[in-house]
Amino acid sequence: MDSTENLGQIATHLGLDLLAVTLLTFGVFYPRHRRRELVPAYLALNVALFAVVAALGSVGGNGGLTLGFGLFGVLSIVRLRSDALQHQEVAYYFITLVLGLLCGLPGLDLTVAAGLAGVLLLIMYAADHPRLYARDRRTVVTLDVVHRDERDLRADLWRRLGEPLGWTVREIDHVRDLMVLEVRYRAPRRDGAPVNAVAPRTSARLAPAAPAAPAARENV
C-alpha cells in the first residue's frame, strides 16, 4: 500500500472516529449531564489515541513496537479521580478511548469498525437513558443527629429524601452530634406520594426539636 492509499484510509477512519465521538459527546453525554469541562477531555483523548494507533499501523517494525510501549506508558499514568467523576462519566471516558483505538486500526475493515462503533453508541445511549431508574438518586447528607439504630436512620432518611436504597457512612462526630452519609435513594413520585405506600415502622425517636428561644423583654 503506497502513501496515498494509506493517507486515504487514515482519513476515512478519522472521519468515522470523529462522527462517532461527536455523536457520543454532543448527542448523548452533554445533553444529559451538562458537564462542559469534560467534553474537551473526551475529544482530546479520543483523537490522541486515534493518532497513536494510526501511527502504530503506519510505522510497523521496531518503530511500532516503540510506540506501543509508549502508548502503554501513557495509559498507565492516566488517573481518573473517583471523587471528581461519577461512574457513568468514567464509562464515557472508556467508550471514547475504545472508539479511538477501534477506528484507528488500519487493518480493520471500515464496515466492521462502523458496526462496532454503532454498537458502543447504542449501548451507552440505552444504559445511560434518563428514563432508566429515573427516580434513583445519590447525594451526601449531613444529619444533625447520630443514629445508633439502623431503623432510626432509615426512617429519618425516608422522611427527608424518600425511600433509602442504601447508604455509606462517611463520618460520625459525637462531639458536634453530626453524621455524614452518602445515600442512594428513590425520590418520591411527582404527585408527592412515596414509592411504597407505607413507610417502615419504627419505634425510634428522631432528633428532638430545638426548644423555642424565650421572648426578649422590653425595657420600659
Side-chain angles (χ1 to χ4, degrees), residues 9 13 50 53-54 56-57 99-110 113:
Q9 185 182 28
H13 281 256
F50 176 90
V53 174
L56 284 172
L99 286 175
L101 294 175
L102 184 66
C103 297
L105 291 174
L108 187 62
D109 185 73
L110 184 64

Side-chain angles (χ1 to χ4, degrees), residues 58-100:
S58 301
V59 174
N62 294 331
L65 182 62
T66 303
L67 284 175
F69 279 111
L71 176 62
F72 176 78
V74 170
L75 295 179
S76 65
I77 64 175
V78 173
R79 181 182 180 185
L80 301 177
R81 294 176 57 108
S82 58
D83 56 344
L85 295 176
Q86 298 182 1
H87 292 291
Q88 63 267 31
E89 294 166 351
V90 176
Y92 281 100
Y93 256 113
F94 282 104
I95 293 297
T96 55
L97 184 151
V98 173
L99 286 175

Side-chain angles (χ1 to χ4, degrees), residues 9 14 44 73 77 84 135 152 155 159 163 167 181 194 197 200 217:
Q9 185 182 28
L14 177 61
I77 64 175
R135 292 197 302 269
D152 303 354
R159 176 177 59 85
E163 180 188 3
W167 58 82
L181 307 98
R217 297 180 62 185

Side-chain angles (χ1 to χ4, degrees), residues 162-174:
E163 180 188 3
L165 304 176
W167 58 82
T168 301
V169 179
R170 288 189 174 183
E171 180 184 354
I172 294 179
D173 191 336
H174 291 283

Side-chain angles (χ1 to χ4, degrees), residues 2 12 59 65 71 91 112 123 159 163-164 167 180 187 195 207-209 218:
D2 56 19
T12 305
V59 174
L65 182 62
L71 176 62
V112 177
I123 289 177
R159 176 177 59 85
E163 180 188 3
W167 58 82
V180 181
V195 176
E218 181 179 359

